[in-house]
Amino acid sequence: MSLATKVQNSLKALTSPKANDRVFDAVTFDRAVMKTYGRFPLALERGQGCRVWDTDGREYLDFVAGIATCTLGHGHPVMVEAVTQQIQKLHHVSNLYYIPEQGKLAHWLTQHSCGDKAFFCNSGAEANEAAIKLARKYAHVKREIENPMVITANASFHGRTLATITATGQPKYQKNFNPLVPGFHYVPYNDFEALKAAVTELDGDRPQVAAILLEPLQGEGGVNPGDRDYFQQVRQLCDETGILLILDEVQVGVGRTGQLWGYENLGIEPDIFTLAKGLGGGIPIGAMVCKAACDVFEPGDHASTFGGNPFVCGVALAVCQTLMRDRLIENAQTRGEELRKGLAAIAEKYPNLVSGTRGWGLINGLVLNADAPVKSIDIVKAAMAQGLLVVPAGPGVVRLVPPLIVTADEVKTAVSLLEQAIAAIA
Ligand SMILES: *Cc1c(COP(=O)(O)O)cnc(C)c1O
């Protein structure tokens, strides 16, 4: 029996009502868990480095990393140590009190970025909520704008709360959840003329636009890198008007792009930026970082019970320090180049299916032809059968976002498994 057939049989066994004790029982799972996710028939139970194992003991090379989240991969000794130490010492208290680990992480973030102040929450959506609230308050108190507007981009992704699905310029995430939150307007990404026209129209005879919220590279929207010229023009427009530039770095921040922050690829600095995914290496933490001049929050303006607790901050700080100590940003650059070369070779070999590759550092997309007979999800499934985990970024792009500790050998293996997957369905 070939490996691919074995995997396919094991995937079938996983969803079979007769699943035995050893195989995870997806039927019981689906009976009890709300079906908000279209899950692959795969249950993971163990991980080490860039590898994970399913409940049947089968090994996969993990180029998803919890969607660009497991910065240090799985079971990293630094994380094991930080988690153990912090849970023994103190794991949660309230923001009624000073939390030393929160101060240390904020200090690290502000020392290593253009920002001066940080607020901690638990997810990317919450970080963007905080940024939207800060920008609205800034518009009210600093610019006397009564109905502040936030401009975002088509094909963007900013989260799943009501304000952040509204900010997200993709109608499929908003359908059936109206009324949406007022105060948002959408423009095409990487199109400065369109943005400028929108600002002029919204502002009319007095300023209305509080902020422009953009991803430095659109992750969920198809691994679309921001255009350097565009972002520099946006920065200049914001400087001229007093509009705040908010960058959503939730997916690209913390070394993923081969720079510590996504904005470094664009040669500009935001007024506010948001973090989550990679910041804690898989521990749930989000952050909003802003320049001192934007910090208009006062006690009582914003809060989170779990936000910035000793546990998540202690672990996130260890993750950030390890990123620097082990030169993982350089690794993201080098491994990223190797990966893009490998993907480009696949594109050359299968021109009817794949049109090319795009991305920065270790966030990369294999871009399918518009008229390809398969969608990204078909390739994701075929790769899974070969023992490689990858994730779609929309129907036309296969996204590869491995842990930043990935080795040259693992990149080589991933490219070869992906090629076998494509060969199997081509
Ligand atoms: C994942 C993501 C979010 C949402 O983060 P959650 O932690 O799921 O709330 C927001 N913005 C971007 C760019 C993301 O990739």
Side-chain angles (χ1 to χ4, degrees):
M1 209 193 295
S2 80
L3 176 65
T5 317
K6 272 192 203 162
V7 174
Q8 248 141 19
N9 287 349
S10 106
L11 294 183
K12 262 183 227 144
L14 201 60
T15 44
S16 136
K18 283 191 195 129
N20 63 29
D21 285 349
R22 193 159 166 252
V23 175
F24 166 80
D25 177 7
V27 174
T28 306
F29 182 100
D30 283 337
R31 237 180 246 138
V33 179
M34 290 181 88
K35 271 224 173 267
T36 60
Y37 304 94
R39 294 178 199 270
F40 295 106
L42 177 63
L44 298 170
E45 76 174 355
R46 191 163 62 84
Q48 191 58 52
C50 295
R51 286 166 200 277
V52 288
W53 285 264
D54 69 14
T55 43
D56 210 20
R58 192 168 309 282
E59 181 179 310
Y60 298 84
L61 191 51
D62 183 9
F63 271 49
V64 175
I67 312 194
T69 294
C70 302
T71 309
L72 305 183
H74 304 279
H76 194 288
V78 166
M79 285 192 78
V80 173
E81 170 82 10
V83 164
T84 309
Q85 274 199 1
Q86 201 56 56
I87 203 89
Q88 284 173 346
K89 199 170 156 200
L90 185 68
H91 73 292
H92 180 81
V93 289
S94 165
N95 283 298
L96 287 167
Y97 317 107
Y98 280 95
I99 298 171
E101 291 77 12
Q102 186 179 134
K104 283 186 199 160
L105 180 60
H107 182 74
W108 190 93
L109 288 172
T110 55
Q111 288 295 299
H112 289 85
S113 78
C114 66
D116 305 305
K117 294 285 194 82
F119 171 85
F120 294 101
C121 50
N122 316 290
S123 67
E126 282 174 273
N128 288 329
E129 287 271 348
I132 293 162
K133 280 180 72 175
L134 184 68
R136 281 186 173 189
K137 183 169 180 195
Y138 182 92
H140 281 289
V141 303
K142 294 277 187 193
R143 300 179 62 214
E144 292 174 2
I145 295 177
E146 245 175 68
N147 289 299
M149 297 289 301
V150 175
I151 298 180
T152 69
N154 295 337
S156 58
F157 184 81
H158 299 296
R160 301 297 204 120
T161 61
L162 277 171
T164 57
I165 57 165
T166 310
T168 294
Q170 299 193 57
K172 70 171 179 186
Y173 292 114
Q174 303 168 340
K175 196 177 163 237
N176 288 333
F177 296 120
N178 53 304
L180 296 173
V181 175
F184 291 88
H185 184 88
Y186 315 97
V187 293
Y189 189 62
N190 278 341
D191 180 343
F192 183 69
E193 289 316 312
L195 176 68
K196 193 156 182 229
V199 170
T200 307
E201 195 193 314
L202 290 169
D203 273 356
D205 46 17
R206 62 191 174 130
Q208 292 297 310
V209 180
I212 297 167
L213 165 60
L214 296 167
E215 292 156 271
L217 169 153
Q218 293 186 324
E220 305 294 318
V223 191
N224 306 313
D227 183 58
R228 220 180 144 89
D229 288 344
Y230 170 73
F231 273 88
Q232 296 197 348
Q233 285 175 297
V234 175
R235 179 66 268 177
Q236 198 183 342
L237 176 71
C238 289
D239 290 340
E240 287 163 7
T241 53
I243 295 171
L244 297 179
L245 177 57
I246 307 171
L247 292 185
D248 180 341
E249 296 254 358
V250 168
Q251 188 153 162
V252 297
V254 201
R256 167 93 14 218
T257 67
Q259 303 290 335
L260 184 50
W261 312 114
Y263 65 75
E264 292 174 64
N265 298 278
L266 301 167
I268 54 140
E269 290 182 355
D271 300 298
I272 303 172
F273 65 95
T274 54
L275 300 172
K277 291 191 167 84
L279 178 59
I283 298 292
I285 182 169
M288 169 185 63
V289 183
C290 75
K291 298 222 174 189
C294 314
D295 180 18
V296 292
F297 275 171
E298 295 165 297
D301 275 344
H302 200 44
S304 164
T305 298
F306 290 129
N309 82 14
F311 181 72
V312 294
C313 288
V315 178
L317 183 63
V319 169
C320 291
Q321 287 169 339
T322 304
L323 184 80
M324 303 312 252
R325 189 200 67 195
D326 292 353
R327 305 193 162 277
L328 298 180
I329 299 176
E330 288 93 323
N331 193 57
Q333 288 169 8
T334 319
R335 302 288 89 82
E337 275 165 31
E338 292 163 3
L339 182 55
R340 279 186 299 281
K341 256 189 216 153
L343 298 178
I346 293 178
E348 249 172 60
K349 209 161 163 191
Y350 298 94
N352 296 335
L353 219 57
V354 183
S355 72
T357 171
R358 61 183 179 233
W360 293 337
L362 283 174
I363 177 160
N364 291 290
L366 186 76
V367 185
L368 304 185
N369 280 330
D371 57 0
V374 295
K375 291 201 164 26
S376 56
I377 192 153
D378 303 312
I379 294 183
V380 168
K381 285 179 186 161
M384 194 179 291
Q386 299 292 340
L388 171 70
L389 303 183
V390 289
V391 56
V397 179
V398 178
R399 181 173 23 162
L400 296 97
V401 279
L404 304 191
I405 57 163
V406 73
T407 65
D409 269 353
E410 286 163 340
V411 167
K412 223 189 243 173
T413 307
V415 169
S416 131
L417 293 174
L418 187 61
E419 181 169 349
Q420 286 168 41
I422 289 175
I425 58 171

